Amino acid sequence: MPSEKILEQKKQAVAELSANLKEACVGVIVNYSGITVADDTKLRKELREAGNTYVVVKNTLLGRALKDAEIDGLDSVLEGTTAIAYSNDDYVSAAKILSAYAEKSKTFEVKAGFVDGGALDAAGVKELANLPSKEVLVAKALGGLNAPISGFVTVLNGTIKGLVVALNAIAEQKGA
């Protein structure tokens, strides 16, 4: 039986992870076996620069933290070596980075994830990784809103140009 001190440390770790997962909008759970230290360092740096938190965690502690955060449906993937990357504001960066690394690696794999408290399987995480970034989506939306306005301006410009040509022709006739 573990000592009271160790048990208290584990409870505190679960509470901290649970609080972080409650605030997170997205999380990706991976099997990190077979990754070299150099690759792991590079992966952690890339995730950190994109605003994600990446932690290696014991399956039992992650299971309890997910349960406390009211994220259901991920217990089946909590086997083997497990790490989780989560973010509070960027929905796609963790999925993009980890999925890209998983495609290059033979042993590293994306197990599952969650978005706004709802569980995703590995295929759902891959779909999330294929989404364009927030900036691209906003630019597309603004472009879609701008298209009718620019079309209207073009029509008005053509009408005014036609009026000017007609007035110019009338002026030339009267001058001749």
Side-chain angles (χ1 to χ4, degrees):
M1 185 166 151
S3 71
E4 287 295 320
K5 183 178 178 183
I6 292 173
L7 196 57
E8 192 58 39
Q9 288 174 344
K10 288 183 178 182
K11 284 181 182 178
Q12 187 175 0
V14 167
E16 184 179 324
L17 183 58
S18 175
N20 290 337
L21 293 178
K22 280 181 185 175
E23 292 177 13
C25 61
V26 67
V28 180
I29 300 172
V30 296
N31 175 357
Y32 67 91
S33 65
I35 188 171
T36 65
V37 173
D39 286 344
D40 186 50
T41 304
K42 196 183 318 178
L43 187 63
R44 285 175 185 266
K45 181 181 181 215
E46 193 175 347
L47 286 164
R48 189 173 41 255
E49 287 174 353
N52 298 291
T53 303
Y54 179 79
V55 291
V56 172
V57 63
K58 291 187 175 192
N59 291 322
T60 53
L61 297 181
L62 181 57
R64 289 188 177 155
L66 288 168
K67 184 178 178 185
D68 290 349
E70 298 175 0
I71 302 170
D72 298 322
L74 297 174
D75 293 335
S76 62
V77 299
L78 299 179
E79 297 174 354
T81 56
T82 303
I84 185 168
Y86 55 90
S87 175
N88 294 348
D89 55 358
D90 189 351
Y91 281 87
V92 295
S93 65
K96 279 185 184 294
I97 293 167
L98 294 172
S99 292
Y101 186 80
E103 287 179 14
K104 292 186 279 185
S105 175
K106 293 178 181 160
T107 56
F108 188 92
E109 69 172 324
V110 174
K111 292 181 180 182
F114 66 88
V115 173
D116 291 331
L120 293 175
D121 60 356
V125 173
K126 188 161 181 74
E127 287 179 28
L128 186 63
N130 291 333
L131 285 176
S133 68
K134 181 179 179 181
E135 292 79 18
V136 172
L137 290 174
V138 168
K140 285 183 177 183
L142 290 177
L145 292 173
N146 195 20
I149 296 169
S150 59
F152 182 65
V153 169
T154 303
V155 168
L156 284 179
N157 193 20
T159 306
I160 293 171
K161 184 177 177 184
L163 178 63
V164 169
V165 169
L167 290 175
N168 192 25
I170 292 171
E172 285 178 7
Q173 270 184 347
K174 292 200 178 199

